[in-house]
PDB file of all heavy atoms in Angstrom:
ATOM      1  N   LEU R   1     116.429  63.078 167.714  1.00 98.00           N
ATOM      2  CA  LEU R   1     117.385  62.155 168.342  1.00 98.00           C
ATOM      3  C   LEU R   1     116.678  61.014 169.057  1.00 98.00           C
ATOM      4  O   LEU R   1     117.190  59.892 169.124  1.00 98.00           O
ATOM      5  CB  LEU R   1     118.278  62.904 169.332  1.00 98.00           C
ATOM      6  CG  LEU R   1     119.345  63.836 168.760  1.00 98.00           C
ATOM      7  CD1 LEU R   1     120.096  64.526 169.886  1.00 98.00           C
ATOM      8  CD2 LEU R   1     120.319  63.088 167.862  1.00 98.00           C
ATOM      9  N   ASN R   2     115.504  61.317 169.623  1.00 98.00           N
ATOM     10  CA  ASN R   2     114.699  60.319 170.331  1.00 98.00           C
ATOM     11  C   ASN R   2     115.544  59.558 171.352  1.00 98.00           C
ATOM     12  O   ASN R   2     115.697  58.331 171.272  1.00 98.00           O
ATOM     13  CB  ASN R   2     114.077  59.341 169.327  1.00 98.00           C
ATOM     14  CG  ASN R   2     113.010  58.471 169.960  1.00 98.00           C
ATOM     15  OD1 ASN R   2     112.430  58.820 170.990  1.00 98.00           O
ATOM     16  ND2 ASN R   2     112.759  57.322 169.355  1.00 98.00           N
ATOM     17  N   PRO R   3     116.111  60.266 172.331  1.00 98.00           N
ATOM     18  CA  PRO R   3     117.014  59.622 173.294  1.00 98.00           C
ATOM     19  C   PRO R   3     116.331  58.506 174.068  1.00 98.00           C
ATOM     20  O   PRO R   3     115.188  58.642 174.493  1.00 98.00           O
ATOM     21  CB  PRO R   3     117.411  60.772 174.229  1.00 98.00           C
ATOM     22  CG  PRO R   3     117.114  62.021 173.464  1.00 98.00           C
ATOM     23  CD  PRO R   3     115.913  61.693 172.628  1.00 98.00           C
ATOM     24  N   LYS R   4     117.062  57.398 174.254  1.00 97.00           N
ATOM     25  CA  LYS R   4     116.515  56.238 174.945  1.00 97.00           C
ATOM     26  C   LYS R   4     117.490  55.755 176.017  1.00 97.00           C
ATOM     27  O   LYS R   4     118.698  55.964 175.916  1.00 97.00           O
ATOM     28  CB  LYS R   4     116.263  55.102 173.948  1.00 97.00           C
ATOM     29  CG  LYS R   4     115.239  55.439 172.873  1.00 97.00           C
ATOM     30  CD  LYS R   4     115.030  54.257 171.951  1.00 97.00           C
ATOM     31  CE  LYS R   4     114.047  54.612 170.828  1.00 97.00           C
ATOM     32  NZ  LYS R   4     112.729  54.995 171.353  1.00 97.00           N
ATOM     33  N   PRO R   5     116.969  55.092 177.056  1.00 97.00           N
ATOM     34  CA  PRO R   5     117.858  54.476 178.047  1.00 97.00           C
ATOM     35  C   PRO R   5     118.811  53.511 177.351  1.00 97.00           C
ATOM     36  O   PRO R   5     118.456  52.896 176.340  1.00 97.00           O
ATOM     37  CB  PRO R   5     116.888  53.730 178.972  1.00 97.00           C
ATOM     38  CG  PRO R   5     115.591  54.443 178.808  1.00 97.00           C
ATOM     39  CD  PRO R   5     115.547  54.904 177.382  1.00 97.00           C
ATOM     40  N   GLU R   6     120.011  53.415 177.865  1.00 94.00           N
ATOM     41  CA  GLU R   6     121.091  52.588 177.315  1.00 94.00           C
ATOM     42  C   GLU R   6     121.740  53.219 176.078  1.00 94.00           C
ATOM     43  O   GLU R   6     122.774  52.737 175.615  1.00 94.00           O
ATOM     44  CB  GLU R   6     120.600  51.163 176.947  1.00 94.00           C
ATOM     45  CG  GLU R   6     119.887  50.424 178.056  1.00 94.00           C
ATOM     46  CD  GLU R   6     120.800  50.141 179.234  1.00 94.00           C
ATOM     47  OE1 GLU R   6     122.018  50.104 179.051  1.00 94.00           O
ATOM     48  OE2 GLU R   6     120.267  49.973 180.352  1.00 94.00           O
ATOM     49  N   GLY R   7     121.161  54.294 175.542  1.00 98.00           N
ATOM     50  CA  GLY R   7     121.745  54.941 174.378  1.00 98.00           C
ATOM     51  C   GLY R   7     122.954  55.795 174.738  1.00 98.00           C
ATOM     52  O   GLY R   7     123.084  56.267 175.875  1.00 98.00           O
ATOM     53  N   VAL R   8     123.832  55.997 173.753  1.00 98.00           N
ATOM     54  CA  VAL R   8     124.999  56.861 173.924  1.00 98.00           C
ATOM     55  C   VAL R   8     124.896  57.980 172.899  1.00 98.00           C
ATOM     56  O   VAL R   8     124.738  57.723 171.697  1.00 98.00           O
ATOM     57  CB  VAL R   8     126.317  56.083 173.718  1.00 98.00           C
ATOM     58  CG1 VAL R   8     127.522  57.023 173.856  1.00 98.00           C
ATOM     59  CG2 VAL R   8     126.424  54.940 174.712  1.00 98.00           C
ATOM     60  N   TYR R   9     124.980  59.218 173.363  1.00 98.00           N
ATOM     61  CA  TYR R   9     124.770  60.373 172.502  1.00 98.00           C
ATOM     62  C   TYR R   9     125.937  61.355 172.642  1.00 98.00           C
ATOM     63  O   TYR R   9     126.550  61.468 173.699  1.00 98.00           O
ATOM     64  CB  TYR R   9     123.442  61.059 172.854  1.00 98.00           C
ATOM     65  CG  TYR R   9     122.281  60.112 172.732  1.00 98.00           C
ATOM     66  CD1 TYR R   9     121.872  59.347 173.833  1.00 98.00           C
ATOM     67  CD2 TYR R   9     121.636  59.928 171.521  1.00 98.00           C
ATOM     68  CE1 TYR R   9     120.841  58.434 173.721  1.00 98.00           C
ATOM     69  CE2 TYR R   9     120.595  59.016 171.406  1.00 98.00           C
ATOM     70  CZ  TYR R   9     120.207  58.268 172.500  1.00 98.00           C
ATOM     71  OH  TYR R   9     119.191  57.348 172.375  1.00 98.00           O
ATOM     72  N   ILE R  10     126.215  62.067 171.545  1.00 98.00           N
ATOM     73  CA  ILE R  10     127.289  63.054 171.535  1.00 98.00           C
ATOM     74  C   ILE R  10     126.694  64.434 171.300  1.00 98.00           C
ATOM     75  O   ILE R  10     125.905  64.630 170.371  1.00 98.00           O
ATOM     76  CB  ILE R  10     128.313  62.769 170.417  1.00 98.00           C
ATOM     77  CG1 ILE R  10     129.001  61.425 170.624  1.00 98.00           C
ATOM     78  CG2 ILE R  10     129.364  63.880 170.360  1.00 98.00           C
ATOM     79  CD1 ILE R  10     129.924  61.042 169.482  1.00 98.00           C
ATOM     80  N   ASP R  11     127.070  65.363 172.145  1.00 98.00           N
ATOM     81  CA  ASP R  11     126.841  66.782 171.878  1.00 98.00           C
ATOM     82  C   ASP R  11     128.211  67.352 171.530  1.00 98.00           C
ATOM     83  O   ASP R  11     129.034  67.621 172.400  1.00 98.00           O
ATOM     84  CB  ASP R  11     126.252  67.483 173.106  1.00 98.00           C
ATOM     85  CG  ASP R  11     125.830  68.922 172.815  1.00 98.00           C
ATOM     86  OD1 ASP R  11     126.271  69.462 171.778  1.00 98.00           O
ATOM     87  OD2 ASP R  11     125.083  69.499 173.616  1.00 98.00           O
ATOM     88  N   GLY R  12     128.468  67.500 170.226  1.00 98.00           N
ATOM     89  CA  GLY R  12     129.800  67.861 169.762  1.00 98.00           C
ATOM     90  C   GLY R  12     130.188  69.296 170.009  1.00 98.00           C
ATOM     91  O   GLY R  12     131.358  69.663 169.834  1.00 98.00           O
ATOM     92  N   THR R  13     129.220  70.108 170.385  1.00 96.00           N
ATOM     93  CA  THR R  13     129.458  71.521 170.722  1.00 96.00           C
ATOM     94  C   THR R  13     128.632  71.811 171.970  1.00 96.00           C
ATOM     95  O   THR R  13     127.644  72.535 171.914  1.00 96.00           O
ATOM     96  CB  THR R  13     129.032  72.442 169.561  1.00 96.00           C
ATOM     97  OG1 THR R  13     127.713  72.054 169.116  1.00 96.00           O
ATOM     98  CG2 THR R  13     129.984  72.333 168.389  1.00 96.00           C
ATOM     99  N   VAL R  14     129.055  71.258 173.091  1.00 96.00           N
ATOM    100  CA  VAL R  14     128.196  71.210 174.272  1.00 96.00           C
ATOM    101  C   VAL R  14     127.830  72.597 174.796  1.00 96.00           C
ATOM    102  O   VAL R  14     126.754  72.783 175.373  1.00 96.00           O
ATOM    103  CB  VAL R  14     128.860  70.353 175.376  1.00 96.00           C
ATOM    104  CG1 VAL R  14     130.076  71.030 175.952  1.00 96.00           C
ATOM    105  CG2 VAL R  14     127.863  70.006 176.466  1.00 96.00           C
ATOM    106  N   GLY R  15     128.699  73.603 174.594  1.00 93.00           N
ATOM    107  CA  GLY R  15     128.362  74.956 175.019  1.00 93.00           C
ATOM    108  C   GLY R  15     128.024  75.008 176.492  1.00 93.00           C
ATOM    109  O   GLY R  15     128.774  74.537 177.344  1.00 93.00           O
ATOM    110  N   LEU R  16     126.869  75.580 176.814  1.00 93.00           N
ATOM    111  CA  LEU R  16     126.453  75.707 178.211  1.00 93.00           C
ATOM    112  C   LEU R  16     125.625  74.522 178.694  1.00 93.00           C
ATOM    113  O   LEU R  16     125.110  74.524 179.809  1.00 93.00           O
ATOM    114  CB  LEU R  16     125.674  77.010 178.405  1.00 93.00           C
ATOM    115  CG  LEU R  16     126.397  78.278 177.966  1.00 93.00           C
ATOM    116  CD1 LEU R  16     125.600  79.516 178.356  1.00 93.00           C
ATOM    117  CD2 LEU R  16     127.795  78.355 178.553  1.00 93.00           C
ATOM    118  N   GLY R  17     125.461  73.506 177.845  1.00 96.00           N
ATOM    119  CA  GLY R  17     124.864  72.251 178.282  1.00 96.00           C
ATOM    120  C   GLY R  17     123.364  72.153 178.206  1.00 96.00           C
ATOM    121  O   GLY R  17     122.785  71.195 178.720  1.00 96.00           O
ATOM    122  N   GLY R  18     122.699  73.095 177.548  1.00 95.00           N
ATOM    123  CA  GLY R  18     121.240  73.063 177.487  1.00 95.00           C
ATOM    124  C   GLY R  18     120.689  71.863 176.731  1.00 95.00           C
ATOM    125  O   GLY R  18     119.797  71.156 177.219  1.00 95.00           O
ATOM    126  N   HIS R  19     121.211  71.620 175.516  1.00 97.00           N
ATOM    127  CA  HIS R  19     120.769  70.451 174.751  1.00 97.00           C
ATOM    128  C   HIS R  19     121.157  69.160 175.465  1.00 97.00           C
ATOM    129  O   HIS R  19     120.386  68.195 175.505  1.00 97.00           O
ATOM    130  CB  HIS R  19     121.388  70.459 173.351  1.00 97.00           C
ATOM    131  CG  HIS R  19     120.867  71.528 172.452  1.00 97.00           C
ATOM    132  ND1 HIS R  19     121.601  72.624 172.095  1.00 97.00           N
ATOM    133  CD2 HIS R  19     119.668  71.661 171.822  1.00 97.00           C
ATOM    134  CE1 HIS R  19     120.889  73.388 171.284  1.00 97.00           C
ATOM    135  NE2 HIS R  19     119.713  72.840 171.113  1.00 97.00           N
ATOM    136  N   SER R  20     122.352  69.145 176.035  1.00 98.00           N
ATOM    137  CA  SER R  20     122.839  67.941 176.726  1.00 98.00           C
ATOM    138  C   SER R  20     121.930  67.562 177.882  1.00 98.00           C
ATOM    139  O   SER R  20     121.620  66.384 178.086  1.00 98.00           O
ATOM    140  CB  SER R  20     124.264  68.180 177.244  1.00 98.00           C
ATOM    141  OG  SER R  20     125.171  68.346 176.178  1.00 98.00           O
ATOM    142  N   ALA R  21     121.495  68.559 178.652  1.00 97.00           N
ATOM    143  CA  ALA R  21     120.610  68.284 179.781  1.00 97.00           C
ATOM    144  C   ALA R  21     119.298  67.669 179.308  1.00 97.00           C
ATOM    145  O   ALA R  21     118.789  66.723 179.918  1.00 97.00           O
ATOM    146  CB  ALA R  21     120.340  69.574 180.556  1.00 97.00           C
ATOM    147  N   ALA R  22     118.760  68.187 178.203  1.00 98.00           N
ATOM    148  CA  ALA R  22     117.503  67.648 177.675  1.00 98.00           C
ATOM    149  C   ALA R  22     117.677  66.210 177.208  1.00 98.00           C
ATOM    150  O   ALA R  22     116.805  65.354 177.425  1.00 98.00           O
ATOM    151  CB  ALA R  22     117.015  68.527 176.530  1.00 98.00           C
ATOM    152  N   ILE R  23     118.806  65.908 176.565  1.00 98.00           N
ATOM    153  CA  ILE R  23     119.082  64.541 176.101  1.00 98.00           C
ATOM    154  C   ILE R  23     119.207  63.594 177.293  1.00 98.00           C
ATOM    155  O   ILE R  23     118.675  62.477 177.281  1.00 98.00           O
ATOM    156  CB  ILE R  23     120.367  64.522 175.243  1.00 98.00           C
ATOM    157  CG1 ILE R  23     120.135  65.279 173.934  1.00 98.00           C
ATOM    158  CG2 ILE R  23     120.804  63.086 174.948  1.00 98.00           C
ATOM    159  CD1 ILE R  23     121.409  65.566 173.143  1.00 98.00           C
ATOM    160  N   LEU R  24     119.893  64.038 178.331  1.00 98.00           N
ATOM    161  CA  LEU R  24     120.066  63.198 179.517  1.00 98.00           C
ATOM    162  C   LEU R  24     118.745  62.953 180.242  1.00 98.00           C
ATOM    163  O   LEU R  24     118.480  61.845 180.728  1.00 98.00           O
ATOM    164  CB  LEU R  24     121.076  63.853 180.462  1.00 98.00           C
ATOM    165  CG  LEU R  24     122.541  63.751 180.029  1.00 98.00           C
ATOM    166  CD1 LEU R  24     123.404  64.744 180.785  1.00 98.00           C
ATOM    167  CD2 LEU R  24     123.061  62.327 180.235  1.00 98.00           C
ATOM    168  N   GLU R  25     117.921  63.972 180.319  1.00 98.00           N
ATOM    169  CA  GLU R  25     116.621  63.811 180.977  1.00 98.00           C
ATOM    170  C   GLU R  25     115.776  62.772 180.258  1.00 98.00           C
ATOM    171  O   GLU R  25     115.120  61.930 180.893  1.00 98.00           O
ATOM    172  CB  GLU R  25     115.892  65.153 181.012  1.00 98.00           C
ATOM    173  CG  GLU R  25     116.485  66.148 182.014  1.00 98.00           C
ATOM    174  CD  GLU R  25     115.899  67.536 181.871  1.00 98.00           C
ATOM    175  OE1 GLU R  25     115.031  67.726 180.985  1.00 98.00           O
ATOM    176  OE2 GLU R  25     116.324  68.441 182.619  1.00 98.00           O
ATOM    177  N   LEU R  26     115.787  62.803 178.928  1.00 98.00           N
ATOM    178  CA  LEU R  26     114.929  61.905 178.162  1.00 98.00           C
ATOM    179  C   LEU R  26     115.520  60.516 177.995  1.00 98.00           C
ATOM    180  O   LEU R  26     114.806  59.587 177.594  1.00 98.00           O
ATOM    181  CB  LEU R  26     114.642  62.516 176.786  1.00 98.00           C
ATOM    182  CG  LEU R  26     113.741  63.759 176.813  1.00 98.00           C
ATOM    183  CD1 LEU R  26     113.655  64.401 175.441  1.00 98.00           C
ATOM    184  CD2 LEU R  26     112.338  63.386 177.292  1.00 98.00           C
ATOM    185  N   SER R  27     116.814  60.370 178.279  1.00 98.00           N
ATOM    186  CA  SER R  27     117.428  59.041 178.164  1.00 98.00           C
ATOM    187  C   SER R  27     117.604  58.371 179.528  1.00 98.00           C
ATOM    188  O   SER R  27     118.310  57.364 179.642  1.00 98.00           O
ATOM    189  CB  SER R  27     118.796  59.139 177.470  1.00 98.00           C
ATOM    190  OG  SER R  27     119.696  59.922 178.226  1.00 98.00           O
ATOM    191  N   ALA R  28     116.964  58.933 180.543  1.00 98.00           N
ATOM    192  CA  ALA R  28     117.034  58.344 181.880  1.00 98.00           C
ATOM    193  C   ALA R  28     116.421  56.943 181.870  1.00 98.00           C
ATOM    194  O   ALA R  28     115.531  56.655 181.059  1.00 98.00           O
ATOM    195  CB  ALA R  28     116.292  59.244 182.872  1.00 98.00           C
ATOM    196  N   PRO R  29     116.884  56.041 182.707  1.00 97.00           N
ATOM    197  CA  PRO R  29     117.848  56.285 183.791  1.00 97.00           C
ATOM    198  C   PRO R  29     119.289  55.947 183.435  1.00 97.00           C
ATOM    199  O   PRO R  29     120.183  56.134 184.265  1.00 97.00           O
ATOM    200  CB  PRO R  29     117.351  55.331 184.880  1.00 97.00           C
ATOM    201  CG  PRO R  29     116.838  54.149 184.105  1.00 97.00           C
ATOM    202  CD  PRO R  29     116.221  54.717 182.852  1.00 97.00           C
ATOM    203  N   SER R  30     119.537  55.436 182.208  1.00 97.00           N
ATOM    204  CA  SER R  30     120.880  54.894 181.954  1.00 97.00           C
ATOM    205  C   SER R  30     121.542  55.411 180.684  1.00 97.00           C
ATOM    206  O   SER R  30     122.623  54.962 180.329  1.00 97.00           O
ATOM    207  CB  SER R  30     120.812  53.360 181.900  1.00 97.00           C
ATOM    208  OG  SER R  30     119.826  52.950 180.962  1.00 97.00           O
ATOM    209  N   GLY R  31     120.900  56.346 179.976  1.00 98.00           N
ATOM    210  CA  GLY R  31     121.525  56.903 178.781  1.00 98.00           C
ATOM    211  C   GLY R  31     122.764  57.709 179.136  1.00 98.00           C
ATOM    212  O   GLY R  31     122.853  58.292 180.212  1.00 98.00           O
ATOM    213  N   HIS R  32     123.712  57.748 178.201  1.00 98.00           N
ATOM    214  CA  HIS R  32     124.973  58.443 178.453  1.00 98.00           C
ATOM    215  C   HIS R  32     125.180  59.540 177.422  1.00 98.00           C
ATOM    216  O   HIS R  32     124.914  59.361 176.226  1.00 98.00           O
ATOM    217  CB  HIS R  32     126.147  57.465 178.401  1.00 98.00           C
ATOM    218  CG  HIS R  32     127.425  58.045 178.945  1.00 98.00           C
ATOM    219  ND1 HIS R  32     127.696  58.098 180.299  1.00 98.00           N
ATOM    220  CD2 HIS R  32     128.484  58.618 178.333  1.00 98.00           C
ATOM    221  CE1 HIS R  32     128.874  58.662 180.479  1.00 98.00           C
ATOM    222  NE2 HIS R  32     129.383  58.996 179.303  1.00 98.00           N
ATOM    223  N   LEU R  33     125.666  60.692 177.881  1.00 98.00           N
ATOM    224  CA  LEU R  33     125.930  61.857 177.024  1.00 98.00           C
ATOM    225  C   LEU R  33     127.411  62.202 177.085  1.00 98.00           C
ATOM    226  O   LEU R  33     127.966  62.372 178.171  1.00 98.00           O
ATOM    227  CB  LEU R  33     125.076  63.039 177.464  1.00 98.00           C
ATOM    228  CG  LEU R  33     125.069  64.364 176.688  1.00 98.00           C
ATOM    229  CD1 LEU R  33     126.321  65.211 176.905  1.00 98.00           C
ATOM    230  CD2 LEU R  33     124.854  64.125 175.199  1.00 98.00           C
TER     231      LEU R  33
END
């Protein structure tokens, strides 16, 4: 996925949020999940 700041990403099966947290951490400070 290579998350980047300003990027918008979808976790279509967010579950307990583990993947989502990793995407948000790597897309800081302005990426959106």
